[in-house]
Amino acid sequence: MIRTFNFGAGPASIPTEVLEEAQQELLDFKGSGLSIMEASHRSALYEDVHNEAISLMKELYDIPKNYEVLFLQGGASTQFTMIPLNLSKGGTIEFVNSGAWSKKAIKEAKILGLNTKVIASSEDTNFDRIPNDISFSNDIDYAHITSNNTIYGTQYREYPKTKAPLVVDASSDIFSYKIDWSNIGLLYAGAQKNAGPSGVTIVIIREDLIGNHKENTPSMLRYSTHADTNSLYNTPPTFGIYILGLTLKWIKAKGGIEAINRLNQQKAKLIYDTIDNSNGFYIGHAQKESRSLMNVSFNIRGKDKNLEKELIEITEKSNMVGLKGHRSVGGIRASIYNAVSLEAVQALVDIMNKFREENDVK
Ligand code: PMP
Protein backbone atom coordinates (compact mmCIF):
# COMPACT_ATOMS: atom_id res chain seq x y z
CA MET A 1 0.00 0.00 0.00
CA ILE A 2 1.28 3.46 -0.90
CA ARG A 3 0.17 6.33 1.33
CA THR A 4 -0.73 9.42 -0.68
CA PHE A 5 1.14 12.62 0.21
CA ASN A 6 -1.68 14.79 1.56
CA PHE A 7 -1.18 18.55 1.27
CA GLY A 8 -4.85 19.31 1.95
CA ALA A 9 -5.82 22.25 4.16
CA GLY A 10 -8.15 20.20 6.34
CA PRO A 11 -9.18 17.58 7.14
CA ALA A 12 -5.52 16.96 6.69
CA SER A 13 -2.74 14.45 6.98
CA ILE A 14 -2.74 12.23 10.07
CA PRO A 15 0.52 10.47 11.01
CA THR A 16 0.67 6.97 9.53
CA GLU A 17 1.83 5.63 12.90
CA VAL A 18 -1.34 7.00 14.50
CA LEU A 19 -3.59 5.39 11.90
CA GLU A 20 -1.72 2.10 12.25
CA GLU A 21 -2.15 2.07 16.00
CA ALA A 22 -5.85 2.89 15.62
CA GLN A 23 -6.16 0.12 13.05
CA GLN A 24 -4.52 -2.41 15.34
CA GLU A 25 -6.85 -1.53 18.20
CA LEU A 26 -9.96 -0.97 16.11
CA LEU A 27 -11.76 -4.24 16.85
CA ASP A 28 -10.40 -4.94 20.29
CA PHE A 29 -9.36 -2.00 22.40
CA LYS A 30 -6.97 -3.08 25.16
CA GLY A 31 -8.47 -6.56 25.43
CA SER A 32 -12.03 -5.32 25.98
CA GLY A 33 -13.40 -7.05 22.88
CA LEU A 34 -14.88 -3.66 21.91
CA SER A 35 -13.88 -0.91 19.59
CA ILE A 36 -13.24 2.29 21.51
CA MET A 37 -16.02 3.71 19.28
CA GLU A 38 -18.47 1.32 20.91
CA ALA A 39 -17.44 2.03 24.49
CA SER A 40 -19.73 4.08 26.73
CA HIS A 41 -18.42 7.55 27.38
CA ARG A 42 -19.11 6.81 31.05
CA SER A 43 -16.96 3.65 31.07
CA ALA A 44 -13.54 3.51 32.71
CA LEU A 45 -12.22 2.25 29.36
CA TYR A 46 -13.14 5.51 27.64
CA GLU A 47 -12.51 7.83 30.58
CA ASP A 48 -8.86 6.77 30.64
CA VAL A 49 -8.53 7.74 26.97
CA HIS A 50 -10.23 11.07 27.60
CA ASN A 51 -8.17 11.98 30.65
CA GLU A 52 -4.92 10.87 29.07
CA ALA A 53 -5.53 13.16 26.08
CA ILE A 54 -6.09 16.08 28.47
CA SER A 55 -3.02 15.37 30.58
CA LEU A 56 -0.77 14.80 27.56
CA MET A 57 -1.93 18.09 26.08
CA LYS A 58 -1.19 19.93 29.32
CA GLU A 59 2.25 18.35 29.46
CA LEU A 60 3.31 18.88 25.84
CA TYR A 61 1.85 22.38 25.49
CA ASP A 62 3.02 23.53 28.98
CA ILE A 63 -0.51 24.62 29.83
CA PRO A 64 -0.49 26.40 33.19
CA LYS A 65 -2.51 24.98 36.11
CA ASN A 66 -5.11 27.74 35.97
CA TYR A 67 -6.36 26.68 32.53
CA GLU A 68 -8.99 24.07 31.62
CA VAL A 69 -8.84 21.90 28.51
CA LEU A 70 -12.29 21.32 26.99
CA PHE A 71 -13.38 19.00 24.19
CA LEU A 72 -16.38 20.47 22.41
CA GLN A 73 -18.22 20.02 19.12
CA GLY A 74 -19.44 22.32 16.39
CA GLY A 75 -16.01 23.21 15.02
CA ALA A 76 -14.05 26.38 15.48
CA SER A 77 -17.00 28.10 13.80
CA THR A 78 -19.23 27.51 16.84
CA GLN A 79 -16.54 29.16 18.96
CA PHE A 80 -17.08 32.35 16.94
CA THR A 81 -20.43 32.54 18.80
CA MET A 82 -19.58 30.78 22.05
CA ILE A 83 -16.61 33.00 22.88
CA PRO A 84 -18.53 36.30 22.80
CA LEU A 85 -21.50 34.70 24.59
CA ASN A 86 -19.21 33.74 27.47
CA LEU A 87 -16.49 36.38 27.53
CA SER A 88 -18.30 39.59 26.64
CA LYS A 89 -19.17 41.77 29.61
CA GLY A 90 -21.01 44.30 27.49
CA GLY A 91 -17.87 46.26 26.65
CA THR A 92 -15.88 46.25 23.45
CA ILE A 93 -14.28 43.30 21.70
CA GLU A 94 -11.32 44.16 19.50
CA PHE A 95 -10.27 42.09 16.49
CA VAL A 96 -7.42 41.90 14.04
CA ASN A 97 -8.85 41.19 10.61
CA SER A 98 -6.20 39.01 8.98
CA GLY A 99 -8.37 36.88 6.72
CA ALA A 100 -11.60 35.07 5.96
CA TRP A 101 -11.74 33.29 9.33
CA SER A 102 -11.15 36.50 11.28
CA LYS A 103 -14.01 38.03 9.32
CA LYS A 104 -16.29 35.19 10.27
CA ALA A 105 -15.37 35.59 13.94
CA ILE A 106 -16.18 39.31 13.70
CA LYS A 107 -19.45 38.62 11.90
CA GLU A 108 -20.73 36.28 14.62
CA ALA A 109 -19.93 38.71 17.44
CA LYS A 110 -21.84 41.36 15.51
CA ILE A 111 -24.84 39.05 15.12
CA LEU A 112 -25.01 38.98 18.92
CA GLY A 113 -25.29 42.76 18.84
CA LEU A 114 -21.98 43.28 20.66
CA ASN A 115 -19.61 46.20 20.29
CA THR A 116 -16.86 45.10 17.95
CA LYS A 117 -13.92 47.03 16.67
CA VAL A 118 -11.34 46.06 14.05
CA ILE A 119 -8.08 47.61 15.20
CA ALA A 120 -5.89 46.40 12.33
CA SER A 121 -6.54 44.78 8.97
CA SER A 122 -4.68 43.55 5.91
CA GLU A 123 -7.78 43.27 3.74
CA ASP A 124 -6.60 46.11 1.46
CA THR A 125 -3.86 43.85 0.06
CA ASN A 126 -5.89 40.60 -0.01
CA PHE A 127 -4.55 39.54 3.38
CA ASP A 128 -0.96 39.07 2.27
CA ARG A 129 0.43 39.89 5.70
CA ILE A 130 -0.21 40.04 9.42
CA PRO A 131 -0.90 43.75 10.04
CA ASN A 132 2.07 45.34 11.81
CA ASP A 133 0.18 48.15 13.50
CA ILE A 134 -1.52 46.01 16.13
CA SER A 135 -2.24 47.78 19.39
CA PHE A 136 -5.17 46.60 21.45
CA SER A 137 -6.85 48.90 23.98
CA ASN A 138 -6.54 48.04 27.66
CA ASP A 139 -10.17 48.49 28.68
CA ILE A 140 -11.78 45.91 26.40
CA ASP A 141 -13.50 42.62 27.18
CA TYR A 142 -11.04 40.67 25.08
CA ALA A 143 -8.79 40.82 22.02
CA HIS A 144 -9.15 38.29 19.18
CA ILE A 145 -6.57 37.12 16.64
CA THR A 146 -6.28 34.28 14.12
CA SER A 147 -2.77 32.96 14.66
CA ASN A 148 -2.46 31.29 11.26
CA ASN A 149 -4.48 32.28 8.22
CA THR A 150 -5.11 28.99 6.49
CA ILE A 151 -6.21 30.42 3.15
CA TYR A 152 -3.63 33.18 2.66
CA GLY A 153 -0.67 31.44 4.31
CA THR A 154 0.20 34.11 6.85
CA GLN A 155 1.13 33.56 10.49
CA TYR A 156 2.08 35.61 13.54
CA ARG A 157 5.76 35.35 14.53
CA GLU A 158 4.68 36.22 18.04
CA TYR A 159 1.34 37.03 19.58
CA PRO A 160 0.55 40.67 20.39
CA LYS A 161 0.95 41.77 24.00
CA THR A 162 -2.38 42.67 25.57
CA LYS A 163 -3.68 43.74 28.94
CA ALA A 164 -7.10 42.25 28.24
CA PRO A 165 -7.38 38.48 27.70
CA LEU A 166 -6.07 37.46 24.29
CA VAL A 167 -8.28 34.99 22.41
CA VAL A 168 -6.52 32.99 19.70
CA ASP A 169 -8.04 31.00 16.87
CA ALA A 170 -5.21 28.46 16.46
CA SER A 171 -7.20 26.11 14.23
CA SER A 172 -4.44 25.75 11.68
CA ASP A 173 -1.33 25.92 13.84
CA ILE A 174 -2.19 24.38 17.22
CA PHE A 175 0.63 22.17 18.60
CA SER A 176 3.14 23.49 16.08
CA TYR A 177 5.11 25.80 18.39
CA LYS A 178 5.36 26.52 22.12
CA ILE A 179 2.96 29.11 23.49
CA ASP A 180 3.63 31.96 25.91
CA TRP A 181 0.44 31.69 27.95
CA SER A 182 0.96 34.87 29.95
CA ASN A 183 -1.78 36.98 28.35
CA ILE A 184 -3.88 34.25 26.77
CA GLY A 185 -7.47 34.01 27.92
CA LEU A 186 -8.60 31.34 25.51
CA LEU A 187 -7.07 29.38 22.65
CA TYR A 188 -9.25 27.27 20.37
CA ALA A 189 -8.99 25.02 17.35
CA GLY A 190 -10.88 22.51 15.31
CA ALA A 191 -8.80 19.32 15.50
CA GLN A 192 -8.79 18.48 11.81
CA LYS A 193 -5.49 20.04 10.78
CA ASN A 194 -2.84 19.39 13.41
CA ALA A 195 -4.68 17.38 16.04
CA GLY A 196 -6.60 14.51 14.49
CA PRO A 197 -9.94 14.11 12.71
CA SER A 198 -12.75 16.63 12.40
CA GLY A 199 -15.43 16.52 15.07
CA VAL A 200 -13.42 17.58 18.12
CA THR A 201 -13.01 21.23 18.99
CA ILE A 202 -10.26 22.01 21.48
CA VAL A 203 -10.77 24.94 23.85
CA ILE A 204 -8.07 25.88 26.37
CA ILE A 205 -9.49 28.52 28.68
CA ARG A 206 -8.22 30.42 31.71
CA GLU A 207 -10.29 29.46 34.75
CA ASP A 208 -11.36 32.97 35.73
CA LEU A 209 -13.09 33.39 32.35
CA ILE A 210 -15.38 30.43 32.97
CA GLY A 211 -18.86 31.15 34.34
CA ASN A 212 -19.25 34.74 33.17
CA HIS A 213 -21.83 33.97 30.47
CA LYS A 214 -25.04 35.89 30.20
CA GLU A 215 -27.97 34.34 32.04
CA ASN A 216 -29.89 33.36 28.92
CA THR A 217 -26.94 31.43 27.44
CA PRO A 218 -28.08 27.88 26.55
CA SER A 219 -26.40 25.20 28.70
CA MET A 220 -24.51 23.62 25.80
CA LEU A 221 -23.02 27.00 24.91
CA ARG A 222 -21.67 27.75 28.40
CA TYR A 223 -18.02 26.92 29.09
CA SER A 224 -18.99 26.26 32.71
CA THR A 225 -21.27 23.37 31.64
CA HIS A 226 -18.33 21.57 30.04
CA ALA A 227 -15.70 22.60 32.59
CA ASP A 228 -17.87 21.36 35.48
CA THR A 229 -18.25 17.95 33.86
CA ASN A 230 -14.76 17.35 32.45
CA SER A 231 -16.27 17.72 28.94
CA LEU A 232 -18.62 14.81 29.66
CA TYR A 233 -21.88 16.75 30.00
CA ASN A 234 -23.20 14.98 26.94
CA THR A 235 -21.64 12.40 24.63
CA PRO A 236 -18.29 13.74 23.46
CA PRO A 237 -16.80 12.81 20.05
CA THR A 238 -15.09 9.80 21.60
CA PHE A 239 -13.29 8.42 18.57
CA GLY A 240 -11.91 11.83 17.61
CA ILE A 241 -10.63 12.38 21.15
CA TYR A 242 -9.00 8.95 21.03
CA ILE A 243 -7.19 9.87 17.78
CA LEU A 244 -6.26 13.26 19.25
CA GLY A 245 -4.66 11.38 22.17
CA LEU A 246 -2.71 9.15 19.79
CA THR A 247 -1.59 12.24 17.85
CA LEU A 248 -0.31 13.83 21.05
CA LYS A 249 1.58 10.62 21.87
CA TRP A 250 3.10 10.77 18.39
CA ILE A 251 4.21 14.37 18.99
CA LYS A 252 5.80 13.27 22.27
CA ALA A 253 7.61 10.39 20.58
CA LYS A 254 8.96 12.83 17.97
CA GLY A 255 10.58 14.84 20.76
CA GLY A 256 7.72 17.18 21.64
CA ILE A 257 6.45 20.42 20.15
CA GLU A 258 9.88 22.08 19.89
CA ALA A 259 11.22 19.19 17.81
CA ILE A 260 8.10 19.30 15.63
CA ASN A 261 8.61 23.05 15.20
CA ARG A 262 12.20 22.56 14.02
CA LEU A 263 11.02 20.06 11.45
CA ASN A 264 8.24 22.43 10.36
CA GLN A 265 10.81 25.19 9.82
CA GLN A 266 12.89 22.86 7.67
CA LYS A 267 9.85 21.83 5.61
CA ALA A 268 8.65 25.39 5.05
CA LYS A 269 12.16 26.57 4.14
CA LEU A 270 12.37 24.00 1.36
CA ILE A 271 9.29 25.44 -0.35
CA TYR A 272 9.99 29.11 0.34
CA ASP A 273 13.56 28.73 -0.95
CA THR A 274 12.18 27.14 -4.09
CA ILE A 275 9.86 30.12 -4.55
CA ASP A 276 12.59 32.66 -3.80
CA ASN A 277 15.11 31.00 -6.12
CA SER A 278 12.71 30.72 -9.03
CA ASN A 279 13.48 34.13 -10.58
CA GLY A 280 9.86 35.12 -10.16
CA PHE A 281 8.37 32.01 -11.76
CA TYR A 282 6.74 31.19 -8.43
CA ILE A 283 5.27 34.08 -6.47
CA GLY A 284 4.41 33.58 -2.81
CA HIS A 285 1.16 35.22 -1.69
CA ALA A 286 2.37 36.16 1.79
CA GLN A 287 4.88 38.91 2.40
CA LYS A 288 8.12 37.37 3.67
CA GLU A 289 7.88 38.47 7.30
CA SER A 290 4.36 37.02 7.59
CA ARG A 291 4.99 33.67 5.94
CA SER A 292 3.20 30.70 7.48
CA LEU A 293 4.99 27.48 8.39
CA MET A 294 1.70 25.63 7.90
CA ASN A 295 0.19 26.81 4.61
CA VAL A 296 2.25 28.00 1.67
CA SER A 297 0.07 29.79 -0.90
CA PHE A 298 1.66 30.72 -4.20
CA ASN A 299 0.95 31.49 -7.84
CA ILE A 300 2.85 31.07 -11.07
CA ARG A 301 4.17 34.12 -12.92
CA GLY A 302 1.32 36.25 -14.28
CA LYS A 303 -1.17 34.10 -12.31
CA ASP A 304 -1.04 31.80 -15.31
CA LYS A 305 -4.09 29.60 -14.76
CA ASN A 306 -3.06 27.05 -17.38
CA LEU A 307 0.38 26.49 -15.87
CA GLU A 308 -1.09 26.39 -12.35
CA LYS A 309 -3.60 23.76 -13.46
CA GLU A 310 -0.88 21.78 -15.19
CA LEU A 311 1.33 21.78 -12.11
CA ILE A 312 -1.54 20.59 -9.95
CA GLU A 313 -2.28 17.81 -12.43
CA ILE A 314 1.35 16.69 -12.29
CA THR A 315 1.24 16.53 -8.49
CA GLU A 316 -1.94 14.48 -8.67
CA LYS A 317 -0.25 12.00 -10.99
CA SER A 318 2.65 11.87 -8.54
CA ASN A 319 0.76 10.51 -5.56
CA MET A 320 -0.12 13.92 -4.06
CA VAL A 321 -3.47 15.52 -3.23
CA GLY A 322 -4.84 18.78 -1.89
CA LEU A 323 -2.62 21.31 -3.66
CA LYS A 324 -5.25 23.42 -5.38
CA GLY A 325 -5.27 26.91 -3.90
CA HIS A 326 -8.33 28.41 -2.24
CA ARG A 327 -10.52 30.30 -4.72
CA SER A 328 -9.79 33.66 -3.08
CA VAL A 329 -6.05 33.39 -3.82
CA GLY A 330 -6.03 30.89 -6.68
CA GLY A 331 -2.86 29.08 -7.63
CA ILE A 332 -1.39 26.48 -5.36
CA ARG A 333 -1.54 25.97 -1.61
CA ALA A 334 0.70 23.44 0.10
CA SER A 335 -0.52 22.72 3.61
CA ILE A 336 2.42 21.24 5.47
CA TYR A 337 1.01 20.57 8.91
CA ASN A 338 2.82 18.56 11.59
CA ALA A 339 1.97 15.19 10.03
CA VAL A 340 3.22 16.06 6.52
CA SER A 341 6.65 14.47 6.21
CA LEU A 342 9.88 16.06 5.05
CA GLU A 343 9.90 13.38 2.35
CA ALA A 344 6.52 14.61 1.04
CA VAL A 345 7.73 18.21 0.96
CA GLN A 346 10.98 17.22 -0.77
CA ALA A 347 8.97 15.34 -3.42
CA LEU A 348 6.84 18.44 -4.01
CA VAL A 349 9.86 20.72 -4.27
CA ASP A 350 11.46 18.36 -6.79
CA ILE A 351 8.34 18.60 -8.94
CA MET A 352 8.26 22.41 -8.60
CA ASN A 353 11.90 22.73 -9.70
CA LYS A 354 11.49 20.40 -12.66
CA PHE A 355 8.28 22.16 -13.71
CA ARG A 356 9.97 25.55 -13.63
CA GLU A 357 12.91 24.32 -15.71
CA GLU A 358 10.51 23.01 -18.32
CA ASN A 359 8.12 25.95 -18.41
CA ASP A 360 9.92 29.16 -17.54
CA VAL A 361 10.24 30.80 -20.95
CA LYS A 362 10.54 34.42 -19.75
N1 PMP B 1 -10.45 29.14 11.79
C1 PMP B 1 -9.48 28.79 10.94
C2 PMP B 1 -8.16 29.51 11.01
C3 PMP B 1 -9.68 27.76 10.02
O1 PMP B 1 -8.71 27.42 9.17
C4 PMP B 1 -10.92 27.09 10.00
C5 PMP B 1 -11.19 25.93 9.08
N2 PMP B 1 -10.54 25.89 7.89
C6 PMP B 1 -11.92 27.51 10.88
C7 PMP B 1 -11.65 28.52 11.77
C8 PMP B 1 -13.27 26.86 10.88
O2 PMP B 1 -13.15 25.63 11.48
P1 PMP B 1 -14.33 24.57 11.54
O3 PMP B 1 -14.50 24.03 10.16
O4 PMP B 1 -13.80 23.57 12.53
O5 PMP B 1 -15.56 25.27 12.02
Side-chain angles (χ1 to χ4, degrees), residues 9-11 74-80 100-102 104-105 144 146-151 169-173 188-193 198-201 295 333 337:
S77 300
T78 299
Q79 292 310 305
F80 298 160
W101 296 109
S102 306
K104 289 199 172 163
H144 183 281
T146 312
S147 54
N148 183 75
N149 297 280
T150 324
I151 296 172
D169 175 358
S171 289
S172 50
D173 65 359
Y188 67 105
Q192 65 270 21
K193 297 166 201 303
S198 59
V200 189
T201 312
N295 312 92
R333 170 175 52 174
Y337 300 122

Side-chain angles (χ1 to χ4, degrees), residues 307-316 323-325 331-332:
L307 280 183
E308 288 172 345
K309 189 163 167 257
E310 207 181 310
L311 175 58
I312 290 162
E313 279 166 9
I314 292 171
T315 63
E316 283 166 358
L323 283 152
K324 192 173 186 310
I332 295 110

Side-chain angles (χ1 to χ4, degrees), residues 26 29 32-49 232 235-239:
L26 193 67
F29 183 71
S32 65
L34 294 175
S35 174
I36 191 63
M37 268 188 274
E38 303 170 292
S40 162
H41 60 295
R42 308 278 173 214
S43 64
L45 196 66
Y46 173 71
E47 280 198 12
D48 283 352
V49 168
L232 289 159
T235 319
T238 54
F239 191 70

